[in-house]
Amino acid sequence: MNTVKPMYGWETMNWAKVQRDVLKLQKRIYRASKRGDVKAVRKLQRLLTNSRDAKILAVREVIPENGSQKTAGVDGVKRLRNQEKLDLANCLKLGRKTQGLRRVSIPEPGRDEKRAVGILMMMEKAKQGLVKLALEPEWEARFDRNSYGFRPRRSAQDAIAAIFNGMKEDHKYVLDAHIEKCFEGIYHQKLLAKLNTYPTLRREIKAWLKSGVMDGKELFPTETDTPQGGLMPLLANIALDGLESLLEDKFQGGVANCGNGKATVVRYADDLVVLDGELEVILAAKETIEAWLMEMGLKLKDGNTRISHTFIEHEGNIGWDFLGYNIRQYPTREKRSRATGNTEQKRGFQTIIKPSQGAIKRHLQKVDEIIRSHKNSSQEQLINALNPIIRGWSSYYSTVSSKGIFGKIDSILFHKLRGWAFFRRNRNQNKTDVISSYWGVNQGIGWKFITPDHKYCLEKHSQTMLERQVKVKGEKSPFDEDYVYGSGRLWNYPGKCH
């Protein structure tokens, strides 16, 4: 009998060692890029893209588990078995012919328009994941300090914390801008010139950009299109990198994220915020940004770009919404007002950031849809469907002033659940019997929506602990080998269970 076991398998892979070996090479790329050694960066990137560990990790990170992907690419494949993933990693190689994307349209939350999304086939996903492992550490050493979208260990909460730091000391004018068709409008030649990588990677990326998009049964060319998904968010960040440096050169006061009289620039993917105390600076910044974007084939979206003020009304606006948050300053009494800087002068206002009305409405609509779709389901099934939604939404807003809103949403949710329970009651049950069947109020455990065996209990928004987010330091990166700082950031990440 043959008792020889295969040397490795997907199920028995030592993933800790794989990640550790890839991270070692990424750190070397980061250090070389930081010191400006282009030759070493290119050599290490070739070594990484030919590494077996990097290929296996790329497949693991981009291929969804258990067939969770609902839409297939051009190849029609939604799921790969473990052995197929291993075979894909073993045959993964750059420089081969690329395949086009499949385009699907999905609705954007809070907007009437739809957004086009490109779905890659499995081989192209894995190749783009491999290229991302090589390019990301190089550009993490060069990106702007206040860029937060689609970057490792940076979040929307960091962007909000940067905005809070920039406006907490004084009133500010705000340029709230959105870049129109950021992923689709970038000039390919400009992007490739800015990327400035070695020939193999350049040819591969150019082939992806020019591969075309399948919409139905027709193939459309992509002359100025940068399809979404895979590597493309990183390429969009590379294309937009330099806005902060541009404003530093344009306005001699510089760009910072502290209340020291300087302008504040915060970018999260294609959303951009500029804060300054002078309206003239905001207007000049808008013109400068529009001129710079035009060179990359981009422009600001008129319908989503506006100028507001954090405290007083300007053009009918006070404050603004950003990434699902409402940001504004409110007048307050002198006793509750903090001092400005190191002086004794009172500010006379309080900066409050909370969930936006649009975000609250979308969340309640989602909850209502789940409850309606579970009219004939058991209480256990309803709880298991609601808990991830409640937990995720509450964690996202756990770093701002959300306590009052969490309580109001819990009250609305109680009335929705009560309607769900009364809909299911028997003819002989009165309201008290229904409440006793689904809530633990008569069992001495309070108004908890809980199953009779106490195994499943609905979480409340107000149970989420609120904790102010400490913004990531501008120059910090997961590749800079500052393990003490990095581990502290992971421990205090929003939604982390202590």
Side-chain angles (χ1 to χ4, degrees), residues 297-392:
L298 302 171
K299 62 179 181 179
L300 297 180
K301 191 171 185 178
D302 294 334
N304 290 45
T305 300
R306 63 175 185 167
I307 296 177
S308 181
H309 194 273
T310 59
F311 188 67
I312 61 176
E313 184 175 338
H314 178 77
E315 297 181 354
N317 303 316
I318 305 178
W320 79 105
D321 292 343
F322 185 66
L323 302 178
Y325 297 86
N326 178 260
I327 308 168
R328 184 180 167 184
Q329 292 171 337
Y330 295 85
T332 185
R333 293 176 298 176
E334 184 176 351
K335 291 183 178 180
R336 299 191 62 184
S337 178
R338 295 185 178 181
T340 303
N342 296 324
T343 67
E344 296 182 358
Q345 182 181 358
K346 297 294 185 178
R347 298 177 189 170
F349 67 89
Q350 187 175 9
T351 301
I352 297 179
I353 303 175
K354 56 187 179 182
S356 67
Q357 291 299 316
I360 296 170
K361 183 179 179 180
R362 290 191 297 271
H363 178 58
L364 290 175
Q365 287 176 346
K366 178 67 175 178
V367 169
D368 191 56
E369 289 174 3
I370 292 175
I371 294 175
R372 288 178 181 273
S373 64
H374 285 75
K375 281 185 177 181
N376 298 319
S377 303
S378 65
Q379 186 182 15
E380 173 189 336
Q381 292 172 329
L382 178 60
I383 290 174
N384 289 335
L386 285 175
N387 272 345
I389 305 298
I390 294 173
R391 192 183 306 121

Side-chain angles (χ1 to χ4, degrees), residues 164-199:
F164 178 82
N165 292 342
M167 61 183 286
K168 65 181 180 181
E169 295 287 345
D170 200 0
H171 310 311
K172 296 292 179 71
Y173 284 95
V174 184
L175 172 62
D176 176 24
H178 180 82
I179 301 173
E180 184 175 6
K181 295 183 179 179
C182 176
F183 293 94
E184 290 85 4
I186 300 172
Y187 289 153
H188 291 172
Q189 291 302 321
K190 292 282 187 180
L191 174 59
L192 292 171
K194 195 170 184 178
L195 194 61
N196 191 27
T197 188
Y198 63 95

